[in-house]
């Protein structure tokens, strides 16, 4: 093992784990990762919960109790997932206290079937914050068009938010605008802005997966030379946008009121193409004030052979723009790619949620006490 994770942390990158299960909580593994691997946060999503609950480890007793009570499958899932998030939040509470609320965070997502419904997303976010009842929770809201006003509304109520499924630079700017608007609402309502936190989850590897596929179809030497460039370029230009917005006069007024910056969070940092180094989206996205949420395989790979050489975003903006321009010149539409990825992202989470509903319903039926 190297000291790569410590070096990454020292560079101002918060290391979060992109995974959660009851077994990870009860076995002491999560506490171990915090103590030994510099993990200071946890993210979840419907796919993660579907995998955890379907594996069955540690859920049988609660499922039996829920079946005995004859709760609906939707209620059962919320009871199970909020219990895991609550327990993980308690394990991370010392980190939360030590970082003045910046880290030690656990994220839980609103029902992905609500992604295109603003009012329902707001209502669900309020319910989740109440159910988990921990100050170090982040409610995940997708960055769909309907999600943007929901972000403003939820932040305006003093609830901390992890904005998820951001793929485009334009949408990222809209997300930051929604966050600032929410802070302004919270300030007008007399809320303590220092207690409101947010991260913006900017997805990385899926951009390469889609653009590389299109580059391979073109197949020219110029196209092949651009493989594996777009995702990093996109993320680096997102950091440029972050620096601009949080260096603005509008932000300065909120900063005076003790507001917290909305940190860029690099999501989907597990490398999908075996041709690329497995720590590519960690090594090459180092900059202060960011979060990198990693699947455990990427965390282990970074600990073992990550190369953390200081800030790898500063000074890259011109090159990043040139790389995205070169992709566009080959006839690949950036707008088309990012919209497709957003649509697919919402659809994948919705499918995982439905799979979770179905598998949980089957378990509730199996464990239901016989009548009589």
């Amino acid at each position: 093992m190297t000291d790569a994770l410590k070096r990454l942390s020292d560079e101002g990158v918060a290391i979060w784990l992109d995974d959660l299960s009851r077994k990870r909580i009860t076995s002491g593994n999560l506490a171990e990762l915090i103590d030994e691997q510099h993990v200071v946060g946890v993210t979840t999503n419907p796919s993660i919960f579907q995998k955890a609950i379907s594996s069955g480890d540690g859920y049988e007793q609660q499922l039996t109790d829920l079946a005995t009570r004859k709760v609906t499958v939707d209620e059962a899932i919320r009871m199970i997932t909020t219990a895991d998030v609550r327990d993980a939040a308690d394990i991370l509470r010392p980190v939360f206290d030590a970082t003045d609320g910046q880290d030690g965070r656990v994220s839980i997502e609103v029902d992905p079937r609500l992604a295109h419904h603003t009012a329902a997303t707001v209502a669900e976010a309020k319910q989740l914050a109440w159910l988990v009842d921990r100050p170090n929770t982040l409610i995940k809201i997708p960055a769909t068009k309907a999600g943007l006003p929901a972000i403003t509304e939820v932040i305006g109520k003093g609830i901390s938010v992890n904005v998820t499924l951001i793929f485009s630079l334009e949408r990222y700017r809209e997300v930051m605008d929604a966050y600032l608007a929410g802070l302004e609402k919270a300030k007008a309502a007399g809320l303590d802005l220092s207690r409101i936190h947010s991260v913006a989850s900017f997805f990385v590897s899926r951009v390469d997966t889609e653009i590389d596929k299109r580059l391979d179809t073109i197949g020219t030497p110029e196209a092949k030379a651009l493989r594996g460039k777009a995702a990093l370029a996109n993320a680096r230009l997102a950091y440029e946008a972050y620096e601009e917005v949080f260096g603005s006069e509008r932000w300065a007024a909120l900063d005076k009121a003790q507001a917290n910056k909305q940190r860029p969070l690099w999501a989907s940092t597990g490398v999908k193409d075996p041709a690329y180094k497995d720590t590519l989206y960690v090594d090459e996205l180092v900059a202060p004030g960011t979060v990198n949420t990693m699947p455990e395989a990427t965390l282990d790979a970074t600990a073992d052979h990550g190369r953390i050489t200081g800030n790898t975003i500063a000074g890259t903006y011109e090159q990043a723009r040139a790389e995205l321009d070169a992709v566009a010149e080959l006839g690949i539409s950036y707008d088309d790619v990012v919209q497709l990825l957003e649509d697919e992202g919402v659809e994948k989470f919705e499918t995982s949620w439905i799979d979770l509903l179905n598998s949980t319903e089957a378990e509730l039926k199996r464990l239901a006490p016989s009548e009589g």
Side-chain angles (χ1 to χ4, degrees):
M1 288 288 177
T2 69
D3 278 335
L5 292 172
K6 182 181 186 305
R7 287 201 298 277
L8 187 63
S9 182
D10 289 345
E11 288 291 339
V13 180
I15 300 165
W16 291 8
L17 177 71
D18 192 26
D19 190 55
L20 187 63
S21 67
R22 191 153 298 177
K23 187 176 182 182
R24 195 182 284 286
I25 292 165
T26 57
S27 68
N29 172 259
L30 178 58
E32 191 177 283
L33 292 174
I34 295 163
D35 291 340
E36 298 176 9
Q37 301 279 61
H38 304 278
V39 168
V40 293
V42 170
T43 48
T44 67
N45 62 45
S47 303
I48 285 169
F49 277 130
Q50 193 272 330
K51 183 181 170 188
I53 295 171
S54 297
S55 73
D57 282 343
Y59 295 99
E60 182 121 342
Q61 184 57 60
Q62 188 177 10
L63 279 163
T64 301
D65 292 344
L66 293 166
T68 303
R69 288 174 51 213
K70 298 182 180 178
V71 304
T72 66
V73 65
D74 286 276
E75 186 184 351
I77 286 169
R78 276 308 179 210
M79 297 302 286
I80 291 166
T81 56
T82 54
D84 279 0
V85 168
R86 192 180 305 114
D87 289 344
D90 288 343
I91 292 168
L92 279 154
R93 183 60 189 260
V95 177
F96 174 81
D97 292 337
T99 60
D100 201 22
Q102 180 156 261
D103 288 307
R105 295 271 175 180
V106 187
S107 299
I108 184 168
E109 188 138 4
V110 297
D111 185 332
R113 294 170 298 178
L114 307 177
H116 301 296
H117 304 281
T118 303
T121 294
V122 173
E124 171 97 341
K126 287 159 63 181
Q127 172 76 354
L128 283 173
W130 177 81
L131 270 175
V132 177
D133 194 27
R134 294 294 184 272
N136 50 332
T137 310
L138 289 171
I139 307 302
K140 287 180 88 171
I141 297 176
T144 56
K145 277 292 183 187
L148 295 170
I151 292 157
T152 296
E153 193 69 22
V154 172
I155 290 290
K157 293 182 184 303
I159 297 170
S160 294
V161 172
N162 175 344
V163 183
T164 188
L165 291 176
I166 308 170
F167 295 95
S168 84
L169 295 167
E170 181 185 2
R171 184 56 54 83
Y172 178 42
R173 286 184 180 274
E174 290 174 338
V175 164
M176 289 188 283
D177 181 70
Y179 174 61
L180 296 185
L183 288 176
E184 286 158 355
K185 283 188 82 161
K187 184 182 175 186
L191 299 182
D192 180 356
L193 301 194
S194 71
R195 299 173 69 87
I196 304 171
H197 287 259
S198 184
V199 294
S201 295
F202 198 87
F203 278 56
V204 185
S205 66
R206 294 186 198 181
V207 173
D208 270 343
T209 301
E210 183 58 34
I211 288 182
D212 284 357
K213 185 170 70 177
R214 299 183 188 205
L215 291 169
D216 289 343
T217 300
I218 295 167
T220 62
E222 293 83 4
K224 288 177 181 174
L226 288 167
R227 290 185 93 259
K229 307 275 191 192
L232 289 175
N234 200 38
R236 286 166 170 171
L237 292 175
Y239 192 78
E240 180 188 40
Y242 158 77
E243 288 183 313
E244 283 177 18
V245 170
F246 290 98
S248 68
E249 285 183 24
R250 184 184 182 190
W251 168 249
L254 291 163
D255 188 40
K256 279 181 190 165
Q258 272 72 57
N260 298 290
K261 291 179 181 178
Q262 181 186 55
R263 289 182 293 170
L265 178 151
W266 310 128
S268 182
T269 55
V271 170
K272 308 284 195 293
D273 190 330
Y276 304 148
K277 187 184 176 189
D278 54 2
T279 60
L280 176 68
Y281 304 125
V282 179
D283 298 351
E284 299 298 329
L285 289 174
V286 178
T290 59
V291 179
N292 196 311
T293 183
M294 309 177 202
E296 192 167 19
T298 305
L299 183 76
D300 290 343
T302 303
D304 184 62
H305 52 263
R307 290 194 71 248
I308 309 304
T309 56
N311 189 324
T312 48
I313 293 182
T316 64
Y317 303 147
E318 196 176 324
Q319 178 69 24
R321 259 188 289 277
E323 286 165 350
L324 288 187
D325 286 348
V327 168
E329 282 164 15
L330 291 173
I332 296 171
S333 166
Y334 176 86
D335 290 344
D336 180 61
V337 167
V338 293
Q339 188 59 56
L340 174 72
L341 291 172
E342 180 186 306
D343 293 343
E344 283 182 351
V346 172
E347 190 180 318
K348 282 175 183 171
F349 281 172
E350 195 170 319
T351 299
S352 294
W353 194 260
I354 290 165
D355 289 345
L356 177 56
L357 284 167
N358 292 337
S359 57
T360 303
E361 188 169 37
E363 282 296 284
L364 289 171
K365 284 178 180 170
R366 183 179 71 83
L367 296 166
S370 54
E371 297 294 332

